[in-house]
Each structure stands twice: as structure tokens, then as C-alpha cells.
Amino acid sequence: MIVRCIQIISPATGKVVTDHPAIRVGAEYPVLEVSTTARRVELRIPELLDTTDYRDRPGLWDAAMFTVVSSRMPSCWVAELEDGRLTLAPREWQRAGFWEDYFDGVPAAVDDYDRLKAEILADA
């Protein structure tokens, strides 16, 4: 799934802003994960914020910021419903603590992220 950013909603304030260092209006992004609750839909988008660390910083962004360019769903996504949250993502990413491990640089989580991100991009 590929989306195009049409507006930026600050994750900190929830208000529309003109710019953000991690994302820009008009750019297209692969969707790595979709997470929904009764009140919110978020898309996980890869972002590279720290140029000294060449790992992605995949952040969750309000789906209202985007329009769909390609609706092709990655073949590695599975649906998970837990505590009222529906998530579409690779099964390995849905385990408790995965994102904490990834951001902490745990090698197995980094490897899972890199491998599955490549699968998602190949399906896009």
C-alpha cells in the first residue's frame, strides 16, 4: 500500500502544521502497518530522522494525513484484534514488545523489521 501525504497533523498537538522534519506534503510513502481503534486510524510510515543512525524510525501517523495511491495489500500482513485495536502488519511485528525491541536496537527485531519491510516494499 502506498499513500501520498496531503497534510501534516502534528503527533504532539493533533493540529495541522505546515511542516515536520520526518514527513512532507506531496511525498509518497509505503505503509508498513495499519492500526485502528474506534477513535483513530494510524499508518506506520518509515522515516529517517537521525542521519548518524541509518535505521528507519517508523512512526505512526494519523491516516487523515494521506490519500491512497496504491491499495495493493502486502502479502505478509495479517490481522490481529486485541483490546479493541485492529492491526494489519506482519505477524512478527505484532508480538508484545516488538517495537520497543526494534527501537532499542535488539538485533533479532532489527533483522525482522528489515526483512519484512523489504517484503512490503516488494509487494507495493
Side-chain angles (χ1 to χ4, degrees):
M1 175 184 282
I2 304 290
V3 294
R4 179 179 301 117
C5 182
I6 57 173
Q7 66 178 346
I8 300 171
I9 299 172
S10 169
T13 66
K15 297 182 181 189
V16 175
V17 296
T18 57
D19 63 351
H20 189 282
I23 203 158
R24 65 176 212 276
V25 172
E28 294 182 1
Y29 300 93
V31 176
L32 303 177
E33 175 181 54
V34 177
S35 180
T36 67
T37 64
R39 296 180 187 204
R40 187 172 181 120
V41 177
E42 294 176 309
L43 306 179
R44 190 171 298 276
I45 304 293
E47 35 185 84
L48 186 64
L49 292 177
D50 180 355
T51 57
T52 63
D53 177 2
Y54 293 97
R55 276 191 301 123
D56 284 348
R57 301 290 182 198
L60 287 170
W61 295 91
D62 192 317
M65 293 173 43
F66 303 96
T67 187
V68 175
V69 173
S70 170
S71 59
R72 183 178 169 119
M73 302 287 278
S75 60
C76 64
W77 279 6
V78 296
E80 174 75 23
L81 181 61
E82 187 173 322
D83 298 327
R85 176 178 295 273
L86 175 67
T87 304
L88 300 173
R91 182 170 311 285
E92 293 87 339
W93 295 1
Q94 294 180 11
R95 73 165 172 79
F98 171 80
W99 289 110
E100 291 82 358
D101 287 350
Y102 173 78
F103 288 117
D104 288 344
V106 174
V110 172
D111 290 346
D112 280 345
Y113 174 80
D114 290 341
R115 177 178 54 80
L116 291 161
K117 178 186 172 191
E119 276 188 48
I120 291 168
L121 295 177
D123 281 348

